[in-house]
Amino acid sequence: NKPPALCSPQGDMIFPLLEAIQPYVPGAHHRLMQSLDKSGLWPQIVAEDFGDLALSCLDPMPKRRPSFANVVKSLQKLAALRSQSFSAGAAQAPHDTVATESSEPSTEGGTDTGGGWMSWWK
């Protein structure tokens, strides 16, 4: 795990996770899934959808970013899905939450705003 932010010797802010994920470079979804905290034991569908939501909030086109209301709705659905997964014993091992290079982002969490935000980080 890396700290969320560091200060460079020149005084600039450095964001290690942002540098590792590179959300504006193709393959960001895969890099995000590879960067998951392995001790979290997140169900794959929840991790994938949460990652999709996070990346959608970083879309370089503001009109394609989800509204705050849509983010809240998506988080509520993901929280319920996570609870259902854990209560049903569906939590998977951490390495099972890692996406493959060819995996498609899921929209089951309701995070697609219809503006095409899912395509820019593949």
Side-chain angles (χ1 to χ4, degrees), residues 21-92:
I21 304 301
Q22 302 176 29
Y24 306 118
V25 177
H29 180 81
H30 176 71
R31 288 188 297 277
L32 178 62
M33 295 296 102
Q34 292 293 320
S35 297
L36 288 178
D37 181 352
K38 306 287 187 229
S39 67
L41 298 175
W42 287 85
Q44 183 171 351
I45 186 70
V46 176
E48 295 270 346
D49 285 355
F50 190 81
D52 292 346
L53 177 62
L55 289 170
S56 73
C57 292
L58 297 173
D59 194 301
M61 302 282 295
K63 290 182 179 185
R64 294 193 310 205
R65 294 180 202 145
S67 68
F68 186 77
N70 284 344
V71 170
V72 170
K73 287 177 188 176
S74 295
L75 290 173
Q76 288 171 335
K77 289 178 183 179
L78 287 172
L81 181 59
R82 181 174 187 258
S83 295
Q84 292 169 2
S85 295
F86 279 115
S87 65
Q92 299 174 4

Side-chain angles (χ1 to χ4, degrees), residues 1-3 7 11 19 29 35 38 48 62 75 80 83 89 94-95 100-102 109 115 120:
N1 288 338
K2 297 179 181 181
C7 186
E19 290 178 354
H29 180 81
S35 297
K38 306 287 187 229
E48 295 270 346
L75 290 173
S83 295
H95 65 275
T100 62
E101 195 73 46
S102 63
W120 68 271

